[in-house]
Amino acid sequence: MKQIPISFEFFPPKTPEGAEKLRTVRQQLYAIKPEFCSVTYGAGGSTQVGTFSTVQEIQQEGTPAASHFSCVGATREGVRTQLKQLQDMGITRLVALRGDLPSGHGLGGEFQYASDLVAFVRAEMGDVFHIEVAGYPEMHPQARSPEADLKALKAKVDAGANGVITQYFFKPDAYFRFVDDAQRMGINVPIVPGIMPISSSTQLMRFSDACGAEIPRWVRLRLQAFGDDTQSIQAFGHEVVAQLCQRLIQGGAPSLHFYTMNQSAAVLALCKALQL
Ligand code: FAD
């Protein structure tokens, strides 16, 4: 199998036990030598302390760390302060997002779209940060059309993003079509597929409903048929996702970004199967 770079995504742990467990998970995953590890950021800044401290730990462990950064509800002054904090910690990578506030909260804030955040980071900090943005092979759920969503992606790249990480998906053709359409529109930065390992059927269905990622009918039916049989779900999930990754690598994906869900087993098994 062709060798391509990989990266891992974590979320900030909520408890000291979670933080300790994540340290162990990271050490296991560092064996695969990721290009970088990223840490998600709760919309509205709800996890800012946990995100920044986890990012700092990763950086201190010797692996380049990327902080996700969502701008919904944020002020320019607040973002300026936090960017400076990240710079002082030696962080040079951002995943710049709009984010979603929980329902009931107005959008508010001084930024409307992720493209506004990217433009602000470039205007304030020049080239201090390598900036990734989010892309949606199956369209962002709030977009008016696939074309409008691609235009939104182009606006983020034109504002200064260096690369795109996609929402997860299970149909490789959705990704290949998205990349072709993006290139036709003049988006010439790497578009890295986001990969969601399948470890739990209920969790996957919940996430997918929320973010608009389609689980193919044949996959959904099989997962449902396994019921509580976690071992069978994981074995089947491994096969499905390993085949997806193989097709993506063969089809020219520049890199793979794994949504680890702060677990190592499924990702390690996938990387082993793919000889990464
Ligand atoms: P935007 O690019 O701003 O797009 C949002 C919507 O507005 C889209 O429908 C787009 O088509 C539309 N749009 C954009 N610009 C315009 C315009 N000029 N005119 C009209 N419409 C426009 N969420 C978090 O809270 N924390 C995280 O850490 C996080 N990490 C993520 C990582 C990845 C790789 C991905 C794919 C998603 C992540 N998310 C995260 C989820 C993300 O915040 C949501 O999907 C959010 O709804 C959209 O964020 P965005 O940055 O894509 O927004």
Side-chain angles (χ1 to χ4, degrees):
M1 183 67 54
K2 192 170 125 200
Q3 289 300 309
I4 59 168
I6 49 167
S7 52
F8 298 129
E9 179 172 314
F10 305 110
F11 56 83
K14 290 195 185 73
T15 60
E17 297 75 44
E20 202 43 52
K21 189 178 155 256
L22 181 57
R23 282 183 200 110
T24 308
V25 163
R26 286 201 302 267
Q27 290 307 325
Q28 289 162 339
L29 290 173
Y30 288 159
I32 304 169
K33 303 205 177 355
E35 187 187 13
F36 68 93
C37 290
S38 77
V39 183
T40 61
Y41 183 98
S46 53
T47 67
Q48 192 234 310
V49 173
T51 299
F52 284 16
S53 65
T54 309
V55 158
Q56 189 165 30
E57 274 192 40
I58 292 171
Q59 192 84 1
Q60 285 166 351
E61 287 161 352
T63 298
S67 182
H68 291 219
F69 201 101
S70 71
C71 62
V72 64
T75 61
R76 286 187 187 79
E77 198 43 50
V79 171
R80 190 174 287 127
T81 307
Q82 289 177 21
L83 291 174
K84 190 77 192 46
Q85 247 178 293
L86 287 169
Q87 184 186 25
D88 290 346
M89 282 159 43
I91 305 300
T92 58
R93 299 188 79 118
L94 290 182
V95 182
L97 303 143
R98 184 196 68 178
D100 292 307
L101 281 183
S103 54
H105 293 67
L107 284 184
E110 297 176 3
F111 298 86
Q112 192 171 8
Y113 297 115
S115 54
D116 303 331
L117 175 63
V118 176
F120 183 77
V121 176
R122 284 289 175 242
E124 289 285 315
M125 311 288 285
D127 286 335
V128 166
F129 295 105
H130 177 101
I131 305 177
E132 310 274 358
V133 289
Y136 301 86
E138 294 172 343
M139 198 180 91
H140 184 264
Q142 290 158 3
R144 281 192 311 276
S145 67
E147 208 197 340
D149 207 26
L150 274 170
K151 281 189 184 149
L153 182 62
K154 175 113 173 29
K156 296 192 268 195
V157 173
D158 289 347
N162 303 99
V164 178
I165 301 176
T166 76
Q167 183 58 275
Y168 69 86
F169 55 87
F170 294 105
K171 292 184 174 169
D173 289 345
Y175 169 79
F176 292 124
R177 177 86 210 187
F178 179 67
V179 171
D180 284 350
D181 288 348
Q183 286 172 347
R184 257 196 294 274
M185 204 174 254
I187 297 172
N188 291 316
V189 297
I191 299 182
V192 174
I195 305 294
M196 178 66 92
I198 301 179
S199 305
S200 148
S201 153
T202 40
Q203 188 188 51
L204 181 72
M205 306 227 185
R206 190 158 38 85
F207 281 172
S208 303
D209 288 345
C211 72
E214 187 182 323
I215 306 175
R217 188 176 136 81
W218 66 274
V219 173
R220 190 180 275 270
L221 288 174
R222 277 183 173 70
L223 287 175
Q224 280 163 348
F226 289 130
D228 293 336
D229 179 357
T230 312
Q231 231 181 339
S232 299
I233 291 171
Q234 290 176 353
F236 172 70
H238 171 80
E239 254 178 63
V240 169
V241 179
Q243 277 173 20
L244 168 69
C245 294
Q246 261 164 12
R247 285 228 21 221
L248 293 170
I249 295 171
Q250 282 159 2
S255 173
L256 297 178
H257 180 78
F258 287 94
Y259 296 109
T260 69
M261 308 306 293
N262 289 9
Q263 309 276 340
S264 58
V267 176
L268 285 171
L270 285 168
C271 291
K272 188 165 177 227
L274 297 164
Q275 295 164 4
L276 291 171

